[in-house]
Amino acid sequence: MARDYYGILGVSKGASDDEIKRAYRKLARQLHPDVNPDPEAQEKFKDINAAYEVLSDDRKRQIVDLGGDPLAPGGGAGGPGGPGGAGPFVGFQDIMDAFFGGAAGAGRGPRPRTRPGADAILRLELDLQETAFGVEAPITVDTAVLCTTCTGAGTAAGTHLATCEACGGRGEVQSVQRTFLGQVVSARPCTVCQGYGTTIPTPCPTCAGDGRVRTRRSLTVKIPAGVEDGMRIRLAQQGEVGPGGGTAGDLYVEIHERPHDVFSRKGDDLHCRVTVPMTAAALGTRLTIKTLDSEEPVDVKPGTQPGSTLRLRARGVPHLRGTGRGDLYVHLDVRTPTKLDADQERMLREFAKTRGEEVAELSKQGGFFSRMRDAFNGHA
Ligand SMILES: [Zn+2]
Ligand SMILES: [Zn+2]
C-alpha cells in the first residue's frame, strides 16, 4: 500500500512546493535527532525526510498522485534517486536551512570568540525629592569588565590561539551516515573547541581564557528631574563586557520611588490631605502649605466643605520632557470637635438655635438602640 506522504507532512494534495517546504522545515526542526533524541521522533524524522524527498520531486510526486509509491521496492519509480540510489535525498543545506533559516549556509563556520556582552539592570531607590528634582546618585555594579592582563584575548602573555585539531578550525564536525533512505549528512558543533575553531593552549592566568573578569564598579548616574517609578535610564556600554572582551552591553538603572510621608504622586501631580477644624472651615482661614520645595499661603474660603480640594498650580513634579510642573492638590478634611466642655456645648446649641437647626438632646444612658426606639415612637 502506498504511504500517505501528504499526511506525513500534514499538507493537502494541492499543496504548493513552498507549503511543502515550509511544512517539512517545521517538522524537521522538531524532530531532528540533535534536538529530539526520542527514538519515536527519529522514526518520524525518517518519515518526513522520505515524504519531503518524494513531494519535492515533481516526477516522484506524480507517481504518488497516481497512487503509486516511488520509494517502495518496485513501487513504480525504479529510476535514479530511488531507495539506496546515489546522492543524498535531502541535502545538507536543507537540514541546515530548517535549523537556521534561509540565510544559513552562507558564512557559517566557527563562532567568534569575541561576542557582545549582556545588558545589566540595577534597581535604584530614590525619594520623591530626588525623582522630582533630579539627583546625581552613586551606584555600584557587579559586572564583567575587560581583562587587562590579556586585553580580552584570553591567552597568556606570549602565547597564541591554536587551530582546533579536531575540526580543523571549522568549529563543527560533519558526519555522513548511510541509511536505508540514502545518506544523511549532519553537522554538530565541535566539542573540543566548543565551536570556536580554535583552542587556547595556555589561558590567561587572570581570566582563565574568558577575556573578562568580574568586578565591582562605582559609578555616578545623573537622574534627570521628573523621572517616575519604574522608568529605566540607559547607560550605554556600562553593562557586561562580552566573552573575549566583546563590546559591553548597556546598563539600565531602574527607578524605584519610595513612598512619601505626605505626598502621593499621580503622574506629575501630587496630592496631600490637610485637616482643618470645623470652625476654620466655616469661618475661613489661611493655611501655610509646605510643598516639596516651598511654603505657600493658601486661603480656605468660609464655608468650605469636607472633601473640598485646593489646587496649587505648578507645585507638583517638574515634567521630565518639556517645561513646567504638575499641580499640587490639597484635599481638605474637616475635623469635628470630639470633646466639648459644658460652655462649648452650650454655645454650639445656641448657635444651632439661631440657625433654626434642631438638635435632639441625647439622654445620658441612651445608646444607639434607644435613639432608634425614640425615633420610631415619634420622640424626636
Ligand atoms: Zn585575561
Ligand atoms: Zn574544534
Side-chain angles (χ1 to χ4, degrees):
M1 195 186 118
R3 295 168 73 190
D4 177 15
Y5 292 113
Y6 290 104
I8 291 170
L9 290 185
V11 296
S12 69
K13 286 221 157 74
S16 68
D17 290 350
D18 218 38
E19 284 168 326
I20 288 167
K21 197 166 189 174
R22 269 207 305 275
Y24 165 68
R25 284 182 177 179
K26 195 172 162 218
L27 290 166
R29 263 186 226 119
Q30 296 162 6
L31 298 169
H32 191 280
D34 282 355
V35 178
N36 196 334
D38 182 24
E40 205 178 312
Q42 291 186 27
E43 278 309 306
K44 282 188 185 155
F45 186 61
K46 285 178 193 161
D47 288 345
I48 61 159
N49 279 322
Y52 184 60
E53 179 199 351
V54 169
L55 298 182
S56 61
D57 180 315
D58 285 345
R59 200 177 50 81
K60 289 179 189 164
R61 187 173 174 181
Q62 212 171 14
I63 294 168
V64 173
D65 291 342
L66 292 168
D69 186 343
L71 296 185
F89 61 86
V90 173
F92 173 69
Q93 191 60 52
D94 279 332
I95 291 184
M96 286 302 123
D97 279 358
F99 275 93
F100 302 103
R108 288 191 72 245
R111 60 185 184 127
R113 281 191 176 275
T114 303
R115 277 168 293 142
D119 292 341
I121 186 159
L122 185 100
R123 188 188 156 102
L124 180 63
E125 290 218 352
L126 295 173
D127 291 329
L128 176 60
Q129 197 76 26
E130 295 169 321
T131 55
F133 300 116
V135 66
E136 293 200 354
I139 53 171
T140 52
V141 245
D142 288 312
T143 187
V145 297
L146 189 71
C147 173
T148 49
T149 310
C150 63
T151 60
T155 47
T159 71
H160 299 279
L161 296 175
T163 301
C164 175
E165 285 171 12
C167 63
R170 284 189 306 275
E172 60 183 25
V173 280
Q174 293 184 6
S175 58
V176 182
Q177 282 176 301
R178 275 191 99 76
T179 73
F180 72 101
L181 290 170
Q183 56 177 337
V184 175
V185 183
S186 61
R188 278 186 306 281
C190 172
T191 50
V192 174
C193 63
Q194 282 88 46
Y196 293 127
T198 52
T199 57
I200 301 178
T202 320
C204 166
T206 309
C207 64
D210 195 31
R212 53 185 181 163
V213 287
R214 293 211 73 83
T215 189
R216 174 166 291 193
R217 291 165 64 215
S218 296
L219 297 170
T220 302
V221 52
K222 204 171 172 333
I223 307 292
V227 292
E228 257 186 271
D229 191 73
M231 277 184 177
R232 289 177 178 183
I233 290 169
R234 176 172 162 267
L235 304 179
Q237 294 192 15
Q238 299 289 350
E240 308 243 314
V241 161
T247 319
D250 297 334
L251 172 64
Y252 290 90
V253 176
E254 191 175 89
I255 308 289
H256 288 263
E257 188 181 273
R258 293 191 196 99
H260 193 272
D261 287 344
V262 175
F263 301 111
S264 62
R265 178 173 176 178
K266 289 198 179 80
D268 288 340
D269 291 334
L270 295 176
H271 296 257
C272 68
R273 305 196 77 85
V274 169
T275 304
V276 293
M278 180 185 77
T279 45
L283 301 170
T285 188
R286 170 164 282 199
L287 302 174
T288 302
I289 303 286
K290 224 167 151 356
T291 73
L292 272 184
D293 57 336
S294 64
E295 291 194 358
E296 303 287 326
V298 176
D299 287 340
V300 176
K301 287 200 204 74
T304 291
Q305 299 298 312
S308 308
T309 304
L310 303 171
R311 179 179 178 192
L312 279 65
R313 287 183 187 276
R315 286 291 143 219
V317 174
H319 299 310
L320 180 63
R321 292 174 188 86
T323 53
R325 295 173 65 165
D327 300 330
L328 169 60
Y329 291 89
V330 180
H331 301 269
L332 290 173
D333 287 333
V334 174
R335 192 187 331 114
T336 306
T338 48
K339 273 182 190 154
L340 298 173
D341 63 24
D343 256 7
Q344 291 166 341
E345 184 179 342
R346 184 182 47 74
M347 283 189 282
L348 260 186
R349 286 195 183 284
E350 248 162 56
F351 171 76
K353 209 186 213 170
T354 60
R355 292 179 57 85
E357 292 167 356
E358 251 180 75
V359 183
E361 193 147 357
L362 295 176
S363 66
K364 291 281 183 245
Q365 65 273 49
F368 175 74
F369 288 106
S370 68
R371 266 178 280 148
M372 287 290 285
R373 194 180 52 233
D374 287 351
F376 279 114
N377 293 339
H379 313 291

